[in-house]
Amino acid sequence: MSRAEANRPVTIESRAELDELLASNPRVLVMVRTAGCAICKSMDPIIDNVARATDVAVVDFNPKADLDAVAEFDVRSVPTFLLFDDGDLIDRMADGFVPTEDLVAFVER
């Protein structure tokens, strides 16, 4: 994902796609979701806002085809937000609905 695309969330469905994004972006926020999650759907405008307001690449990840990623990142509820820096998982949040200001603060700390 180029910098020009970084102001919009990118949707992925596999760990291979995630690894590619982690390798090409210094800081990445991943929202792990499922298709039927109402709270996840309500987060769509929020992650759009975060993508526009920050320098991080924002990823919408539905791992339905790659459940090993769910286990590897210890995702127990959705949405779960995973923050990566230089490919390393540095923080996580699984608090349900998160307002824009709180998610921006989480990304920028």
Side-chain angles (χ1 to χ4, degrees):
M1 173 169 57
S2 69
R3 265 313 287 146
E5 296 169 322
N7 65 353
R8 298 197 49 90
V10 173
T11 300
I12 64 170
E13 293 186 355
S14 74
R15 178 59 198 266
E17 289 174 292
L18 177 59
D19 288 343
E20 185 177 315
L21 287 169
L22 292 175
S24 61
N25 293 276
R27 201 155 170 99
V28 178
L29 175 68
V30 177
M31 180 175 78
V32 181
R33 70 180 305 151
T34 60
C37 171
I39 294 173
C40 301
K41 183 70 176 159
S42 71
M43 288 301 303
D44 287 346
I46 305 298
I47 64 170
D48 284 343
N49 292 340
V50 172
R52 286 191 301 272
T54 68
D55 290 337
V56 302
V58 178
V59 177
D60 185 0
F61 182 30
N62 181 348
K64 67 182 174 192
D66 197 346
L67 295 179
D68 289 342
V70 172
E72 181 176 346
F73 296 123
D74 195 30
V75 175
R76 296 172 188 244
S77 63
V78 289
T80 293
F81 296 94
L82 305 172
L83 183 61
F84 293 86
D85 191 30
D86 291 326
D88 296 322
L89 179 60
I90 60 168
D91 208 350
R92 67 186 310 110
M93 183 185 339
D95 297 339
F97 183 86
V98 181
T100 299
E101 302 79 27
D102 295 352
L103 198 52
V104 168
F106 171 73
V107 167
E108 293 184 337
R109 40 176 131 152

